[in-house]
Amino acid sequence: MKKLKVAEMFAGVGGFRIGLENTENHMFEIIWANQWEPSRLVQHAYDCYTHNFSTGIHSNEDITKVTNYEMANTNVDIIVGGFPCQDYSVARSLSGELGIQGKKGVLFWEIARYIQHVAPKYILLENVDRLLKSPASQRGRDFAVMLSTLNELGYDIEWRVINAADYGNAQKRRRIFIFGYRRENQYAKSIFKKSAENIVFKDGFFAKAFPITNEIYKNRISTVKLSEDIVDISDNFSYTFHPSGFMRNGEIYTAHTVPRYETPVTLGEILEDEVDDQYYLSEEKVEKFKYLRGPKKIERTTKDGHKYTFSEGGMSETDALDSPARTMLTSESSINRSTHLIKDEKGYRTLTPVEAERLNGFPDNWTDTMPDKMRFFCMGNALVVPLITRMGNEIENIEMQYTDESTQLKLF
Ligand SMILES: C[S@@+](CC[C@H](N)C(=O)[O-])C[C@H]1O[C@@H](n2cnc3c(N)ncnc32)[C@H](O)[C@@H]1O
């Protein structure tokens, strides 16, 4: 069967790759992956990636240093990646008409650069759901700058905020997924005949892979057209994007959709049978956890001497085993309010690294190439793999229905 060549950016320990390699028709071939953890001598995520995968080119270079030539040479059909939520504002270049300039070190521009040099058929990106609202002072600006850039590069875009637990997984993890396809694809042409509403609710990429009801939550639905001037968007655009949406030619339709919930896996179901003593906590540590998870009111003083009361509500004493786990963060290995606390017949304990992997749907011991602390860190950064498999299956469906003669635009 025809293969789709994939580049995995910000690859971490390979969540996208495992997900895509598990699809029904095994159409995906990851031929280039890049992973580089800034300012770390030991590259744990990259080492784990190369330990687990033997094919394709594995690049361990700061993505900003990867040349246009190397990107263009990969000639891939799909670019995938989970990238940080940063400040995407732009300004007109000082040199005058020579285009626009984004802030240095902002990694979305590296994705845009890659797309520009390869013009892949599809893109599939992941980010925290906060991206839709950022920055707080100009709600929606960053996502609008992103959409405008992808529009300019020739892509129609669908997005959906997905909570993994809503679709049968063991963790409440809300992430935004962004799927784009080149406007002149056969698929884009076929979907062009459909309304934005139809795409979001019924026939689009996410509607097919992650079914929703016909309901619109609190009637939250709206449309907007992006300015053609990205600097104008960056300076003035402010808007409430809802969890589902579609953009074609800069015209946006967005709605607050409601999932067709699937029975989740519970935290209790993914726990290991035998757990090493090292994960059980001393009385002192249990007390610390109890304090952190409890309700509190603390008097604090700001740098300029202003006094205020910091308060937070209480959480359950330990994590419920009969529902999906809370979101796992990169700080999972430290004693902190968001770290999971389990009570079993032997006592109080934290998660084991294997349980952390299971919460994301990774194979057991996937990250056993690195110290525990880093295993939790990498899982806090990673995505829920079965979601990607569902998306991969949907891309395969599209591919089997609409075969384009040439997959790449000839840019060079
Ligand atoms: C959100 S995580 C992606 C995790 C991945 N999806 C997974 O399943 O493990 C983002 C990754 O980008 C990497 N990264 C950060 N800055 C980078 C840069 N300048 N060049 C390349 N990779 C970078 C981080 O080390 C991190 O592993």
Side-chain angles (χ1 to χ4, degrees):
M1 190 171 286
K2 189 183 106 187
K3 290 275 183 192
L4 283 170
K5 286 182 279 163
V6 184
E8 188 177 18
M9 300 180 81
F10 313 107
V13 294
F16 267 103
R17 181 162 181 170
I18 307 173
L20 292 177
E21 288 187 347
N22 282 343
T23 56
E24 276 161 29
N25 294 291
H26 303 289
M27 253 191 206
F28 298 94
E29 184 184 357
I30 288 70
I31 63 157
W32 191 86
N34 172 270
Q35 162 56 36
W36 180 74
E37 179 67 29
S39 34
R40 291 267 173 114
L41 210 54
V42 186
Q43 293 284 318
H44 290 294
Y46 172 78
D47 293 344
C48 170
Y49 193 98
T50 51
H51 173 81
N52 283 300
F53 298 115
S54 53
T55 61
I57 296 169
H58 302 164
S59 147
N60 182 214
E61 202 177 354
D62 179 351
I63 189 70
T64 64
K65 304 276 169 12
V66 174
T67 62
N68 295 343
Y69 180 77
E70 179 170 354
M71 286 180 175
N73 249 347
T74 59
N75 215 22
V76 290
D77 303 298
I78 313 187
I79 292 175
V80 299
F83 58 108
C85 180
Q86 293 169 297
D87 175 342
Y88 302 143
S89 62
V90 292
R92 246 173 266 289
S93 301
L94 291 177
S95 47
E97 313 84 75
L98 284 175
I100 56 135
Q101 218 162 23
K103 286 214 160 88
K104 268 225 165 90
V106 173
L107 297 169
F108 170 68
W109 302 116
E110 299 306 317
I111 298 177
R113 179 164 71 93
Y114 204 153
I115 296 173
Q116 195 180 13
H117 285 86
V118 186
K121 246 173 141 173
Y122 308 106
I123 51 182
L124 183 59
L125 308 174
E126 180 243 13
N127 207 308
V128 291
D129 57 341
R130 181 166 43 89
L131 170 65
L132 285 183
K133 298 181 183 148
S134 299
S137 57
Q138 195 187 336
R139 220 176 148 88
R141 177 202 69 192
D142 288 345
F143 192 56
V145 166
M146 236 182 96
L147 287 178
S148 161
T149 306
L150 297 173
N151 182 46
E152 190 69 17
L153 289 167
Y155 290 78
D156 288 347
I157 302 292
E158 267 194 59
W159 74 87
R160 172 83 73 81
V161 174
I162 298 175
N163 181 346
D166 290 347
Y167 290 95
N169 294 283
Q171 188 188 170
K172 294 172 194 156
R173 195 173 182 86
R174 285 165 63 85
R175 290 289 183 270
I176 180 170
F177 292 92
I178 299 157
F179 177 64
Y181 41 91
R182 251 200 0 245
R183 215 165 276 137
E184 71 274 13
N185 279 357
Q186 289 306 325
Y187 172 65
K189 285 182 187 153
S190 86
I191 215 116
F192 194 73
K193 298 176 197 128
K194 300 179 193 279
S195 68
E197 186 183 14
N198 174 297
I199 291 166
V200 166
F201 282 88
K202 190 164 163 276
D203 287 337
F205 176 77
F206 289 111
K208 290 244 164 96
F210 299 94
I212 47 180
T213 68
N214 290 330
E215 213 180 315
I216 299 166
Y217 182 72
K218 291 194 174 167
N219 221 11
R220 288 176 184 156
I221 182 167
S222 72
T223 57
V224 69
K225 171 118 177 90
L226 289 179
S227 159
E228 277 167 24
D229 178 0
I230 194 169
V231 179
D232 176 34
I233 297 174
S234 177
D235 288 346
N236 305 311
F237 187 88
S238 175
Y239 184 68
T240 302
F241 287 103
H242 298 305
S244 292
F246 175 62
M247 178 196 67
R248 174 191 287 150
N249 290 328
E251 290 189 25
I252 290 166
Y253 170 98
T254 178
H256 196 143
T257 53
V258 180
R260 277 193 196 284
Y261 297 102
E262 296 170 18
T263 313
V265 174
T266 65
L267 174 57
E269 285 171 295
I270 64 93
L271 296 183
E272 290 194 88
D273 297 331
E274 301 269 318
V275 172
D276 195 282
D277 285 348
Q278 64 172 307
Y279 300 107
Y280 286 88
L281 300 165
S282 64
E283 242 171 68
E284 192 191 337
K285 283 186 178 163
V286 173
E287 285 312 310
K288 196 156 184 205
F289 263 114
K290 281 187 184 167
Y291 168 74
L292 289 167
R293 294 170 75 106
K296 50 188 96 52
K297 280 198 164 100
I298 307 168
E299 292 299 318
R300 285 189 179 161
T301 312
T302 60
K303 272 188 207 139
D304 50 10
H306 173 72
K307 282 197 185 338
Y308 69 102
T309 309
F310 166 81
S311 67
E312 59 187 5
M315 297 167 61
S316 63
E317 196 183 83
T318 57
D319 281 273
L321 301 186
D322 58 357
S323 60
R326 292 172 300 109
T327 311
M328 207 172 9
L329 306 180
T330 49
S331 58
E332 183 67 37
S333 70
S334 65
I335 298 188
N336 108 27
R337 193 173 148 95
S338 47
T339 294
H340 293 82
L341 181 63
I342 312 287
K343 186 168 190 238
D344 64 19
E345 60 284 358
K346 264 172 77 182
Y348 290 89
R349 67 173 180 87
T350 57
L351 292 175
T352 67
V354 164
E355 288 164 349
E357 289 162 350
R358 289 181 184 172
L359 287 184
N360 278 337
F362 275 70
D364 284 4
N365 292 312
W366 186 259
T367 55
D368 67 3
T369 50
M370 58 182 103
D372 271 13
K373 190 172 177 232
M374 291 311 300
R375 294 179 75 175
F376 288 115
F377 178 80
C378 285
M379 283 301 111
N381 252 339
L383 39 73
V384 176
V385 168
L387 297 180
I388 301 300
T389 303
R390 279 171 85 142
M391 292 178 213
N393 284 333
E394 191 46 40
I395 295 176
E396 289 183 345
N397 289 339
I398 294 173
E399 273 296 299
M400 287 186 287
Q401 228 179 322
Y402 308 98
T403 320
D404 289 286
E405 293 235 316
S406 86
T407 54
Q408 267 84 39
L409 270 182
K410 283 282 157 253
L411 293 177
F412 298 96

